[in-house]
Amino acid sequence: MSDLWLAPFLEFGFMQRALLGCMALALSAAPVGVFLMLRRMSLMGDAMAHAILPGAALGYLVAGLSLGAMTAGGIAAGLAVAVGSGWVARHTVLKEDTSLAAFYLLSLALGVLIVSVRGNSVDLLHVLFGTVLALDDAALLLLAGIMGTTLVSLVVLYRPLVLECLDPGFLRGRSRWSPAAHYGFMGLLVINLVAGFHALGTLMAVGVMVLPAATARFWVRRIGPLLALSVALALAAGASGLLISYHTGWPTSPVIVLGLGAMYLFSLLFAPQGLRRRHPPHSHFNA
C-alpha cells in the first residue's frame, strides 16, 4: 500500500514538482477563495479566470510557451477586465455583474481564437487545462513567490477584509483601509488565478479557490478554522488527484477538481451545516 501512495512521489521528479506546485497553490489560492466566498464573489472568480486567457494567449503569441510572457499577459488582462468592468458599472446603467460577464465572454472568445489560429491543439489544451505534471523550477519559483505575496498580504489586510465581508459600508465610512482592502484583494485574486492557470489551466484554476472554501463552510463557521480547513482540503485533493492521475492515466487538472467536487457533495449531504441541518441558516458568520 505504501508503494501505491508514496512510490510515485519518491521515484519521479516530475511528481515531486507537481506536488510542490499543488501545495503552493493550496496555501495561496484556498485562503483567497474563502474571502471570495464570504464576499459573495465566487462567480466573479470564475469570470476572472476566463478573463486572463487573452493576455496569456498574447504572451504565447509573442514568446511561445514562455512563463514570464504568459504570466505578465495574464495579469495585465485580468486587471484590465476588472478595472474595465468596474468603470462601465460606475458610468452606465449596467450593473457590475452584467458588465463583468460581457468583458469576460469577450476575453474568453478572443483568447481561444488567438491560441486556435496561431497555435495547435496541444497548445490550446496546455492553456485551457494546464500542465501540472510538467512544472519546472521556474514555474515552481513563480508559484512560491505568489504564495508568499498572498500570505503576507492576507496577514496585513486580514482585519479590513473581514470587516468588508461583514459590512462594507461601515468599512468605507470609517476606515481608510477600504480601497486597499478592495483593490488589494482584486490584485490577489488575479495573481492567484494566473498561478492556477500555469498549474491547472484557465478552465480549472478557479476550482481550487471556490470548492475548498464552499466545502469547509459546511463544517465550520469561524473564519480561522474556515481558512485552515479549506487549505487542508485543497492539499488533500491535490495530492490524491496526482496519485489517481498517475495510476489511471487520466488528465490531472480535472481529476483534482473532481476530487474537490466529491468532497463538496459529501459535505453537502453529511456535514452539520449541510442538508442535515435542521435550523434555518443565519445571515452572518463568526470571526
Side-chain angles (χ1 to χ4, degrees):
M1 183 62 70
S2 63
D3 290 341
L4 183 68
W5 294 103
L6 296 178
F9 295 122
L10 296 177
E11 295 179 9
F12 300 105
F14 72 91
M15 288 291 288
Q16 295 169 8
R17 289 190 293 272
L19 181 61
L20 289 174
C22 288
M23 290 174 61
L25 196 59
L27 289 168
S28 180
V32 172
V34 169
F35 287 104
L36 197 67
M37 177 188 67
L38 295 178
R39 292 159 61 102
R40 298 176 178 86
M41 294 171 60
S42 296
L43 289 178
M44 182 178 184
D46 183 58
M48 292 300 298
H50 294 81
I52 68 175
L53 180 57
L58 287 174
Y60 163 78
L61 184 62
V62 172
L65 294 175
S66 166
L67 180 69
M70 296 179 74
T71 298
I75 291 175
L79 292 176
V81 168
V83 173
S85 62
W87 185 89
V88 170
R90 286 192 299 270
H91 293 86
T92 71
V93 297
L94 293 181
K95 300 295 184 181
E96 188 169 11
D97 59 339
T98 305
S99 62
L100 179 63
F103 271 79
Y104 106 78
L105 287 170
L106 291 172
S107 297
L108 177 62
L110 178 61
V112 172
L113 178 64
I114 292 172
V115 178
S116 299
V117 171
R118 299 302 300 270
N120 54 52
S121 59
V122 175
D123 296 330
L124 182 60
L125 289 175
H126 169 88
V127 171
L128 295 180
F129 298 106
T131 53
V132 67
L133 294 180
L135 293 176
D136 55 16
D137 292 341
L140 286 180
L141 287 174
L142 174 67
L143 294 178
I146 291 176
M147 178 192 70
T149 300
T150 299
L151 293 178
V152 171
S153 299
L154 288 178
V155 169
V156 173
L157 296 174
Y158 179 79
R159 288 180 63 86
L161 282 175
V162 171
L163 284 173
E164 190 171 43
C165 294
L166 288 167
D167 191 345
F170 175 83
L171 182 65
R172 284 194 298 267
R174 298 297 184 91
S175 174
R176 291 176 295 179
W177 279 92
S178 179
H182 178 76
Y183 292 108
F185 179 77
M186 293 301 297
L188 292 179
L189 174 62
V190 170
I191 64 172
N192 276 276
L193 287 172
V194 170
F197 152 75
H198 284 298
L200 304 179
T202 57
L203 296 185
M204 301 291 164
V206 75
V208 78
M209 285 187 181
V210 174
L211 287 172
T215 303
R217 185 62 185 85
F218 287 130
W219 297 96
V220 296
R221 296 178 60 188
R222 298 182 64 86
I223 294 183
L226 189 61
L227 291 167
L229 182 56
S230 65
V231 169
L233 291 171
L235 288 171
S240 60
L242 288 173
L243 287 170
I244 293 172
S245 174
Y246 173 81
H247 289 295
T248 62
W250 295 344
T252 309
S253 299
V255 170
I256 292 175
V257 176
L258 284 173
L260 289 168
M263 296 178 186
Y264 172 84
L265 292 176
F266 177 85
S267 302
L268 174 66
L269 295 174
F270 300 108
Q273 308 296 324
L275 294 178
R276 293 176 52 196
R277 185 173 185 172
R278 298 179 180 178
H279 303 290
H282 296 288
S283 61
H284 65 277
F285 58 89
N286 295 325

